[in-house]
Amino acid sequence: QVQLVESGGGLVQAGGSLRLSCAASGSFSPYAMGWFRQAPGKEREFVATIRWSSGITNYWDSAKGRFTISGDKVKNMVYLQMNSLKPEDTAVYYCAAKSSAYIVAFDLWGQGTQVTVSS
């Protein structure tokens, strides 16, 4: 069974950068991968996605120009490079996989990694 494990979270000052990593164990060929986040008291929200075969990416408006999602098919890794971080980016960030193009929701999730941006 495939598992997703995030890493790379931490505490950073506003304006700084972090690179999140997501490692997928086991045989892995998803339709898409994504990063989501959930701040305290808020619902989980979409940050960025990447189609695994084509590399086509999609971003939440506030992430455009600041965050970059990328994938490494050989290593089964997904990354989220986050630059120009703001305090409002503070959240638990989750890596997720969508196993098929015929399902609506992402169906495999990691445990999350905390990102805290201080002002």
Side-chain angles (χ1 to χ4, degrees), residues 89-110:
D89 293 318
T90 295
V92 177
Y93 283 70
Y94 296 91
C95 174
K98 190 176 182 182
S99 59
S100 168
Y102 301 102
I103 60 174
V104 174
F106 282 73
D107 52 338
L108 181 64
W109 293 83

Side-chain angles (χ1 to χ4, degrees), residues 74-96:
V74 175
K75 296 181 179 179
N76 279 349
M77 297 285 295
V78 180
Y79 306 98
L80 184 68
Q81 177 67 44
M82 303 186 295
N83 300 326
S84 302
L85 283 162
K86 306 174 183 179
E88 51 264 42
D89 293 318
T90 295
V92 177
Y93 283 70
Y94 296 91
C95 174

Side-chain angles (χ1 to χ4, degrees), residues 19-47:
R19 187 193 195 207
L20 305 183
S21 299
C22 173
S25 62
S27 178
F28 190 65
S29 183
Y31 170 73
M33 296 293 298
W35 286 96
F36 296 76
R37 70 186 192 184
Q38 187 167 20
K42 295 187 178 181
E43 294 187 353
R44 188 176 297 181
E45 60 185 9
F46 153 78
V47 176

